[in-house]
Amino acid sequence: MHIKQKPNRNLIKLLILFLSITIPWIIAVIIIGEVNEMKLEMDVPAVNYSVDSTAKVDHSKFLSLQQEFNTPHEVTDACLTCHNMTAQDVMKSSHWTWSRDYKMEDGTTIQLGKKNIINNFCIGIATNETRCTSCHIGYGWEDDSFDFTNSSNIDCIVCHDKTGTYEKYPTAAGYPATVEKKFKEKTFYPPDYNLIAQNVGIPGKENCGACHFVGGGGNNVKHGDIASELVAITRDVDVHMAEDGANLNCIDCHKTTNHNISGNLYSIASVDDNRVTCNQCHTDQPHKSRNLNKHVSRIACQTCHIPGFARESSTKMYWDWSTAGRTNEDGSHIVEYDSMGNISYHTQKGTFQWANNVEPEYVWFNGKASHYVLGEQLDTTGPVQINTLHGDYHEKESILVPVKVHRGKQIYDPVNNTMIQALLFGKDSTAFWKGFNWDIAAEIGMERVNLPYSGEYSFISTEMYWPINHMVAPADQSLKCNDCHSRDGRLYNVSGFYLAGRDRSPLLDKVGFLLIIFAIAGVGIHAAIRIIKK
Amino acid sequence: MKKRTYIYRGFERFWHWSQALLIFFLALTGLEIHGSYTIFGFENVIVWHNTAAWALLVLIVFTIFWHFVTGEWKQYIPTTKFLKAQFTYYISGIFKGAPHPTHKTIYNKFNPLQRFVYLGLKLLIIPLMVITGFIYMYYLYPNNPIQLNGLTNLAYLHTFGAFSLLAFVVAHVYLTTTGDKPLTSIKAMITGWEVIDVDSHEERMKHLEDAVNDSAAGYYRISTDGKIVDVNNTWLKLYKCKDRDAILGKHYALTRDSDDQKILEDMIQKALKGAYFSGVPVTRKCMDGSKAHHLLSMNPVKEDDEITGIEGFIIDIDESAPFSEHVDHAIRDSSAGYYRIDDKGMMLDVNEAWLRLYKYDNKDEVIGRHYSISRNPDELLKLENTFNRVMKGEPLLSSHATRLCRDGSTGRHILSANPVYEGNKVVGMEGFILDISNLEV
């Protein structure tokens, strides 16, 4: 057994041992390095994506569109002579009804939507219709008496105008200007109905954007991720809509059948259906990296791929109504601007805070939302939740989504403990924007919605959640692992689950640390005694 | 007995160092995932940690296999024997220069403390790390039928295991310095060789067993009543016997011709009384009836000082092959004198040493003459007896003799004589003489 081996044979054997240990490591380093290289070169494949841009008809040839139009209703009637089934589809859509079925906690179903919901921007449309319904796809919704069954009231051309000349007048209940007229700095002209009617087509970004870019009364006020710059933007801001990107139109993703446009905005929507999802085109396994694909089941694409919203124009983050009504000594409106040129105070509206390049907040969301319904008792333990996105880490359907949280302070009735729908816009001084009297505005507003007003009002903090879905950034700008997998990362406030790199048990860490320190100290002392005793 | 011994085999060392590297690397990457520092970047560190985890799993699978195939798993069977002594040694004895309470051998590589700790690693900590790690890697909460209520507890267990392993590594590395010299143990784990105490009895038993099994000599054992109790494979081959069971339990008489029985019987009777024989040339009767020659050794088998049988080896003598040149040279150049005599007593061959001892100048002066020229008349009778006995096939191992040299002087030597066979027939006698003239008797 005891064979003395020649030294050089021993050396070769040691070399073999050394190589058999190190070669697997070298191979692993090379392979993983190559895989990482491959990932960098990836393009973004899309599935099921097609755009039909072929014009089917030339509307300028239709005689009915060459007639003289006196009112926009006549244009609609002309459209419907051919599209004789379309009015029914349009009138079913929430673009028309501004309401949908909503299940209350007690199980009853009510109609809830833009028409009667409370928000923390301009509060609500009741009593303020003439202003608000400038974004309704109809003509003449001035008050409750609007006829939702009259197809002549549909405004076809606001969505289908391809001339870019059609505009509704801001305070005309959805009508365009009838004479040349100024609103603030902007001049509105009566539309050339023949030109427009003969140049209709599939809605483009400008059509949708006419309302959706300017929700809340100005560019990017409400959404934060949908703004007028998306009409002509670079990939840096939105890879999908950019002309140097996929150059998509809104309806390329918001697929539409019979005027039912897919997509929900959970500031008003409440049910998990008819949604637009990224995997329509990108599949459920969109990454080359398996580790990234594992995230798909719990993390919305938007969470990583929209590192920030309002990346071009500012969005409104805070609106304090309680400061509204201050005027200059001469009674004229005070208007103050922040460093970005955004209004930071306005007599009619109060104090605003704007932000650019905003890091979203993140919530678990299962596709269902509930809303504060006018008249409901308030939970005043925290800020009033204007809408609540439902979801929980422990729920299979819930994924982590980015949201813009719009915070505000708005009028409520501390005696009845309800929010107040106030009259803001009107022709006389009962409207707050004319008379700056909250009491009167509240009284008239609440009367209109058939709810009691105690005569006392105050202001309460509110929060409203806007899921962020647009302004998807190029892949190299998407979040890096460390943005969340770190002690003070973006998910710092999303607690209740273990996130590697963020979470640890401080006790366990302390115990483990001490264990190692004791081991080292023990070993050190032992060694010291051995050396001394030697 | 201390002896430089090959104690860690190639795979064992490959496994040990690969595992050490992997555990170190997993700790390094794991602590980054834990959020303790940033070296690789999170995306890379996940890939590395997972890859290393897979590598470790593969290594562990191979190692489990190795442990069972080699029987090395038995090294980890825990024992409390000397456990306290080992403790006492580490907390006091070691400082006083006391000897290690246990000794490393190939069959008992670990001290009782090591057995407990390594077994704990293998059965508790490493499985804990592997199981929690792989669940962590592939468990997508809550999209699985098994509800673990999130990864918190898994992650904590995994972290705990990591700290335990780190503490183990600290102690483990330090304790390698408690060998003969600080680096003795680490060197052994690199080269495989270490000077360790060898349990000479244990080792001898193991090697003797192998030696007997694999010997080129045939081995046999016979009980007191003459039954063959055991033979090895070579024995079976020499006796042209295909089936061991066919021979076991049979009487030894089966192995000899009837006229040869008496000699064998005598030898066995003597051996059963304690005598030893070595190198006796005999003729065996193979199972197919053919005959062949071999050298036989025989010794008593003792159990508790009582002779319970005899055993010995047989080495085949192949007469069909002529003396090889090598053997020829060996005889010619031997310092011992060599002689060969035919069946009529005539000298056939002698070597140079024989000639020198007998003071002849030339072979030709001797060859063809009767052996009686080599003795004084008073010694001749003794030589005649020897010759006659050898011609009957009985070898003479050593006997003192006084030679008559050519010049009439005498010298003393030791003589060996054995029969020269041709087929089954003794055709002469040959042997060696060693000069002892200068020795006092």
Side-chain angles (χ1 to χ4, degrees):
Chain A
M1 184 67 193
H2 179 199
I3 306 152
K4 268 245 172 182
Q5 297 192 347
K6 289 178 188 165
N8 58 347
R9 268 197 71 196
N10 273 344
L11 213 62
I12 290 167
K13 284 198 161 186
L14 279 184
L15 192 69
I16 291 169
L17 178 69
F18 178 75
L19 290 178
S20 60
I21 292 168
T22 49
I23 285 173
W25 286 81
I26 294 166
I27 292 170
V29 170
I30 292 168
I31 290 176
I32 289 177
E34 270 179 15
V35 170
N36 281 346
E37 294 271 309
M38 265 160 52
K39 275 183 209 149
L40 291 179
E41 300 162 1
M42 83 181 262
D43 52 346
V44 182
V47 296
N48 297 330
Y49 169 64
S50 63
V51 175
D52 182 4
S53 54
T54 331
K56 301 289 188 297
V57 292
D58 180 352
H59 282 87
S60 65
K61 299 285 190 287
F62 292 121
L63 287 178
S64 57
L65 301 181
Q66 292 164 10
Q67 63 176 297
E68 192 185 326
F69 295 116
N70 295 315
T71 65
H73 296 285
E74 290 171 16
V75 179
T76 301
D77 291 340
C79 298
L80 297 178
T81 53
C82 291
H83 299 278
N84 55 9
M85 303 288 281
T86 307
Q88 296 161 32
D89 293 333
V90 171
M91 289 193 292
K92 274 187 242 162
S93 78
S94 54
H95 273 96
W96 175 256
T97 59
W98 279 18
S99 80
R100 289 183 233 197
D101 285 351
Y102 177 71
K103 231 176 176 165
M104 301 279 284
E105 268 177 38
D106 60 14
T108 56
T109 301
I110 60 163
Q111 287 301 308
L112 188 74
K114 280 180 94 69
K115 70 172 185 186
N116 53 0
I117 214 157
I118 285 279
N119 66 38
N120 62 3
F121 292 86
C122 287
I123 299 178
I125 74 163
T127 68
N128 304 313
E129 285 90 346
T130 346
R131 176 76 182 89
C132 302
T133 59
S134 64
C135 268
H136 184 243
I137 55 158
Y139 302 118
W141 182 356
E142 287 179 331
D143 51 38
D144 287 347
S145 64
F146 180 68
D147 184 359
F148 283 95
T149 60
N150 181 356
S151 58
S152 297
N153 286 342
I154 297 172
D155 183 349
C156 304
I157 49 182
V158 69
C159 298
H160 293 283
D161 165 41
K162 301 310 283 179
T163 66
T165 60
Y166 182 79
E167 272 179 306
K168 287 164 174 276
Y169 190 75
T171 61
Y175 282 105
T178 47
V179 290
E180 191 178 324
K181 206 171 168 186
K182 265 188 112 169
F183 181 80
K184 293 182 182 166
E185 276 85 51
K186 192 175 169 188
T187 311
F188 289 79
Y189 301 93
D192 179 346
Y193 290 121
N194 289 105
L195 177 71
I196 292 165
Q198 290 170 29
N199 287 284
V200 290
I202 289 167
K205 294 171 207 173
E206 297 88 345
N207 297 100
C208 303
C211 286
H212 290 283
F213 291 156
V214 294
N219 185 37
N220 207 15
V221 166
K222 272 182 175 168
H223 289 271
D225 62 337
I226 304 179
S228 58
E229 59 265 26
L230 292 179
V231 169
I233 199 69
T234 55
R235 277 188 86 242
D236 279 351
V237 177
D238 191 313
V239 292
H240 293 119
M241 299 182 78
E243 284 163 329
D244 61 343
N247 201 13
L248 298 181
N249 271 322
C250 308
I251 58 167
D252 291 334
C253 294
H254 293 271
K255 294 281 182 201
T256 302
T257 326
N258 299 333
H259 280 86
N260 174 23
I261 299 170
S262 61
N264 286 334
L265 178 65
Y266 285 93
S267 54
I268 359 176
S270 57
V271 289
D272 183 16
D273 66 6
N274 205 30
R275 291 174 76 181
V276 175
T277 57
C278 304
N279 65 11
Q280 284 172 190
C281 293
H282 291 294
T283 78
D284 285 330
Q285 302 286 300
H287 308 98
K288 285 239 165 95
S289 155
R290 282 223 319 267
N291 287 329
L292 289 181
N293 280 338
K294 276 189 216 160
H295 286 72
V296 171
S297 70
R298 296 321 307 272
I299 309 289
C301 310
Q302 299 92 311
T303 297
C304 299
H305 289 282
I306 307 176
F309 57 87
R311 289 215 296 284
E312 190 80 6
S313 55
S314 312
T315 189
K316 198 171 280 182
M317 298 303 292
Y318 180 75
W319 185 329
D320 182 359
W321 280 100
S322 68
T323 60
R326 283 194 286 116
T327 56
N328 290 317
E329 278 175 26
D330 61 357
S332 63
H333 292 174
I334 302 173
V335 183
E336 289 164 5
Y337 295 88
D338 65 14
S339 60
M340 298 286 293
N342 301 305
I343 294 175
S344 57
Y345 181 82
H346 194 289
T347 299
Q348 286 182 317
K349 295 172 181 171
T351 308
F352 301 143
Q353 281 170 17
W354 300 74
N356 280 65
N357 228 341
V358 190
E359 198 175 284
E361 295 176 44
Y362 299 92
V363 296
W364 293 105
F365 183 45
N366 60 15
K368 299 183 185 80
S370 56
H371 302 271
Y372 175 75
V373 177
L374 256 180
E376 273 183 336
Q377 290 292 297
L378 294 173
D379 174 7
T380 54
T381 50
V384 172
Q385 305 293 294
I386 299 291
N387 65 336
T388 307
L389 303 182
H390 295 295
D392 189 275
Y393 166 67
H394 297 288
E395 202 181 63
K396 197 166 145 182
E397 298 75 19
S398 291
I399 55 174
L400 200 66
V401 299
V403 291
K404 168 189 167 178
V405 183
H406 183 258
R407 295 182 165 84
K409 248 182 165 180
Q410 63 193 94
I411 186 166
Y412 87 115
D413 182 335
V415 177
N416 291 326
N417 200 30
T418 59
M419 298 307 291
I420 288 174
Q421 168 65 64
L423 170 64
L424 298 175
F425 178 81
K427 293 199 158 53
D428 56 41
S429 63
T430 57
F432 179 76
W433 284 345
K434 284 257 159 62
F436 304 114
N437 187 325
W438 278 118
D439 196 41
I440 296 170
E443 192 180 332
I444 295 176
M446 290 305 272
E447 193 188 331
R448 178 54 202 285
V449 294
N450 291 320
L451 285 168
Y453 170 58
S454 68
E456 270 182 57
Y457 70 90
S458 181
F459 294 87
I460 191 163
S461 293
T462 57
E463 287 181 351
M464 191 170 185
Y465 295 82
W466 294 74
I468 298 294
N469 299 309
H470 306 89
M471 291 191 181
V472 171
D476 58 1
Q477 289 176 34
S478 55
L479 294 196
K480 302 293 172 286
C481 306
N482 281 74
D483 286 317
C484 299
H485 291 283
S486 58
R487 294 271 182 265
D488 308 313
R490 290 193 176 210
L491 300 187
Y492 185 78
N493 291 319
V494 188
S495 57
F497 67 102
Y498 188 89
L499 178 62
R502 179 192 71 173
D503 293 324
R504 64 200 171 123
S505 157
L507 176 70
L508 181 62
D509 272 17
K510 207 173 279 172
V511 169
F513 186 68
L514 284 178
L515 187 68
I516 290 162
I517 291 296
F518 280 140
I520 291 169
V523 157
I525 293 165
H526 198 271
I529 300 176
R530 267 171 74 200
I531 291 163
I532 294 163
K533 289 269 183 173
K534 208 171 175 182
Chain B
M1 185 173 90
K2 279 195 183 296
K3 190 167 138 190
R4 191 167 172 272
T5 308
Y6 189 57
I7 185 165
Y8 302 117
R9 281 177 263 187
F11 177 81
E12 199 171 8
R13 286 175 285 142
F14 165 76
W15 156 57
H16 174 271
W17 289 114
S18 293
Q19 177 167 283
L21 276 176
L22 283 169
I23 286 178
F24 171 77
F25 187 70
L26 283 163
L28 183 77
T29 51
L31 279 170
E32 179 168 350
I33 295 169
H34 189 60
S36 304
Y37 45 73
T38 302
I39 297 173
F40 298 91
F42 202 87
E43 183 172 1
N44 296 323
V45 90
I46 292 287
V47 174
W48 279 114
H49 196 74
N50 292 357
T51 309
W54 270 109
L56 182 63
L57 186 75
V58 171
L59 185 66
I60 287 171
V61 168
F62 274 101
T63 306
I64 289 172
F65 181 73
W66 178 85
H67 272 97
F68 282 101
V69 167
T70 57
E72 285 286 308
W73 65 273
K74 291 178 197 147
Q75 303 264 9
Y76 300 89
I77 297 170
T79 171
T80 53
K81 207 172 160 188
F82 297 118
L83 184 62
K84 206 180 149 212
Q86 191 69 40
F87 258 121
T88 318
Y89 171 74
Y90 281 137
I91 56 175
S92 76
I94 189 168
F95 304 127
K96 298 170 193 151
H100 279 273
T102 55
H103 297 285
K104 201 187 270 187
T105 73
I106 300 181
Y107 312 105
N108 185 9
K109 281 193 278 210
F110 304 136
N111 70 45
L113 210 55
Q114 280 177 303
R115 281 176 180 248
F116 266 107
V117 173
Y118 295 170
L119 189 70
L121 275 184
K122 281 167 185 285
L123 293 188
L124 296 175
I125 303 295
I126 288 178
L128 173 84
M129 296 308 279
V130 169
I131 292 167
T132 54
F134 277 88
I135 294 175
Y136 198 109
M137 217 189 280
Y138 290 103
Y139 181 73
L140 294 177
Y141 181 80
N143 304 11
N144 290 63
I146 306 161
Q147 296 294 306
L148 295 176
N149 213 25
L151 294 170
T152 310
N153 293 331
L154 271 180
Y156 287 178
L157 281 173
H158 200 72
T159 313
F160 168 76
F163 283 127
S164 310
L165 268 174
L166 281 176
F168 163 77
V169 168
V170 171
H172 182 66
V173 170
Y174 172 68
L175 287 173
T176 61
T177 66
T178 61
D180 282 352
K181 283 178 193 152
L183 290 178
T184 304
S185 302
I186 287 181
K187 268 189 198 155
M189 195 36 102
I190 292 171
T191 63
W193 291 83
E194 185 175 4
V195 176
I196 58 167
D197 272 304
V198 175
D199 186 326
S200 47
H201 180 67
E202 199 169 10
E203 188 169 85
R204 269 196 69 217
M205 291 322 288
K206 186 160 168 58
H207 289 296
L208 283 179
E209 190 185 310
D210 292 345
V212 173
N213 280 337
D214 306 338
S215 172
Y219 169 83
Y220 67 91
R221 184 149 57 90
I222 295 170
S223 62
T224 45
D225 56 0
K227 299 252 170 65
I228 297 170
V229 188
D230 195 9
V231 293
N232 70 356
N233 290 334
T234 307
W235 192 97
L236 292 170
K237 217 170 86 192
L238 292 177
Y239 273 91
K240 294 179 184 152
C241 177
K242 287 191 180 103
D243 187 3
R244 192 193 309 266
D245 293 332
I247 196 76
L248 296 184
K250 299 280 164 51
H251 194 269
Y252 64 79
L254 205 61
T255 66
R256 295 296 170 92
D257 250 357
S258 48
D259 50 345
D260 214 11
Q261 284 297 337
K262 183 85 173 66
I263 303 169
L264 183 60
E265 211 163 288
D266 281 354
M267 278 175 77
I268 289 174
Q269 287 314 314
K270 282 177 190 163
L272 284 172
K273 284 176 184 130
Y276 285 74
F277 298 91
S278 58
V280 182
V282 296
T283 306
R284 65 176 178 270
K285 191 176 88 181
C286 299
M287 293 302 115
D288 62 354
S290 67
K291 297 215 173 77
H293 306 289
H294 59 248
L295 286 171
L296 173 83
S297 77
M298 191 181 290
N299 58 270
V301 179
K302 288 182 183 168
E303 274 174 40
D304 294 332
D305 283 338
E306 197 185 322
I307 295 173
T308 58
I310 55 131
E311 66 185 351
F313 289 90
I314 62 171
I315 299 174
D316 195 39
I317 307 169
D318 188 357
E319 274 102 3
S320 62
F323 270 133
S324 70
E325 215 176 323
H326 180 78
V327 174
D328 197 30
H329 277 287
I331 290 170
R332 232 182 308 122
D333 304 339
S334 171
S335 60
Y338 170 77
Y339 65 89
R340 185 142 54 87
I341 302 169
D342 72 10
D343 54 350
K344 306 209 166 51
M346 297 301 181
M347 307 288 278
L348 283 178
D349 196 10
V350 294
N351 69 354
E352 293 292 325
W354 193 95
L355 290 172
R356 263 197 313 280
L357 290 171
Y358 275 87
K359 297 175 180 161
Y360 283 91
D361 295 324
N362 200 313
K363 261 190 187 178
D364 297 335
E365 296 176 63
V366 183
I367 288 170
R369 299 176 70 178
H370 194 263
Y371 61 77
S372 54
I373 61 158
S374 66
R375 297 291 167 98
N376 276 323
D378 53 334
E379 280 269 337
L380 201 56
L381 189 63
K382 196 171 154 197
L383 182 58
E384 260 168 20
N385 273 337
T386 304
F387 181 69
N388 290 334
R389 277 165 61 194
V390 170
M391 289 312 283
K392 283 179 192 154
E394 190 183 338
L396 178 80
L397 292 180
S398 71
S399 111
H400 290 258
T402 306
R403 65 180 177 270
L404 174 65
C405 302
R406 185 194 184 200
D407 61 1
S409 64
T410 56
R412 283 161 19 81
H413 59 241
I414 293 175
L415 171 89
S416 79
N418 53 273
V420 179
Y421 284 92
E422 236 176 69
N424 292 332
K425 218 170 122 198
V426 179
V427 294
M429 171 176 118
E430 66 179 349
F432 289 90
I433 62 170
L434 272 174
D435 188 40
I436 54 169
S437 306
N438 301 328
L439 294 178
E440 296 290 331
V441 180

